[in-house]
Amino acid sequence: MRVVGLMCKAPRPGYAKTRLAASLGAARAAEYAEAFLADSAVLASALGAATAFFAPDDGGAEVARLLPPAMRLRPQVPGDLGMRMIAAFAALFAEGSPALLMGTDSPDLPPALIEEAFAALADHDAAFIPAHDGGYCAVALRAPAPHLFQGIPWSCAETLTATLAAAGELRIHLTAPWHDIDEAEDLEKLHLAAAPFTRRVAAPPG
């Protein structure tokens, strides 16, 4: 049984989407964060048995109200993003395999790319959906591979390159890249037809 995890933050002003807040203000950025989470949760729950891994520790209720009914909820562990991803994958593999972990910065991520990542695990150990900014939108694993997430520079143009260097002899598949939404100008890249909650937030008033 394949399993899916969603790494997410409670959509609090000043906590979620801080780079977007630099241009739009904390309240408006939080509205987008909420919509991104809701759209990403719908996508994750449609792909397999899904769990949302949330932060901070007291943010469970804020996240839970945005999830589909069948989606499970677990807090993230302390540590950097790599440590949190290692723990999330451990929890996912305890429930089934293969496993895929995604974030909420690509609410319009095409399901076809995720299906390609899962399908690639038939003859690869890991599959990544690269992001145009040098990171990645999702990673699928056939079996646990914690070394992929150790000592990695996160949230920068070298993230995926460093991860691939850490892969060693693992067989890696890369799909076509997609965008993630960090800055205000990135909002122009959104395919809003594929992200209904985000479409409502982005719509002009009136």
Side-chain angles (χ1 to χ4, degrees), residues 134-136 152-153 156-167:
Y136 51 92
I152 303 298
C156 69
E158 291 75 41
T159 296
L160 180 57
T161 299
T163 303
L164 297 178

Side-chain angles (χ1 to χ4, degrees), residues 60-76:
E62 295 163 79
V63 171
R65 66 181 178 82
L66 301 170
L67 303 181
M71 196 165 181
R72 293 180 290 273
L73 190 66
R74 294 178 65 118
Q76 295 182 24

Side-chain angles (χ1 to χ4, degrees), residues 1-6 44-45 47-51 53 72 88-102 114 118 121 139-142:
M1 177 186 72
R2 71 186 194 181
V3 288
V4 179
L6 180 68
S45 65
L47 295 167
T51 300
F53 296 92
R72 293 180 290 273
F89 267 119
L92 291 174
F93 278 117
E95 297 182 0
S97 65
L100 179 139
L101 198 58
M102 57 187 283
I114 298 178
F118 271 125
L121 297 181
V139 51
L141 298 178
R142 187 160 62 175

Side-chain angles (χ1 to χ4, degrees), residues 96-182:
S97 65
L100 179 139
L101 198 58
M102 57 187 283
T104 62
D105 288 343
S106 302
D108 58 346
L109 188 63
L113 288 180
I114 298 178
E115 294 296 344
E116 178 185 337
F118 271 125
L121 297 181
D123 52 13
H124 293 80
D125 301 299
F128 292 85
I129 301 176
H132 289 295
D133 65 2
Y136 51 92
C137 304
V139 51
L141 298 178
R142 187 160 62 175
H147 64 284
L148 285 174
F149 313 109
Q150 295 170 335
I152 303 298
W154 298 106
S155 302
C156 69
E158 291 75 41
T159 296
L160 180 57
T161 299
T163 303
L164 297 178
E169 297 182 356
L170 291 183
R171 296 165 296 173
I172 305 294
H173 175 79
L174 300 179
T175 73
W178 197 250
H179 49 256
D180 55 16
I181 309 301
D182 292 315

Side-chain angles (χ1 to χ4, degrees), residues 31-84:
E31 291 179 358
Y32 273 105
E34 182 173 306
F36 288 4
L37 172 53
D39 281 321
S40 298
V42 169
L43 174 59
S45 65
L47 295 167
T51 300
F53 296 92
F54 68 89
D57 289 345
D58 63 349
E62 295 163 79
V63 171
R65 66 181 178 82
L66 301 170
L67 303 181
M71 196 165 181
R72 293 180 290 273
L73 190 66
R74 294 178 65 118
Q76 295 182 24
V77 304
D80 71 3
L81 179 57
M83 293 175 65
R84 289 180 275 135

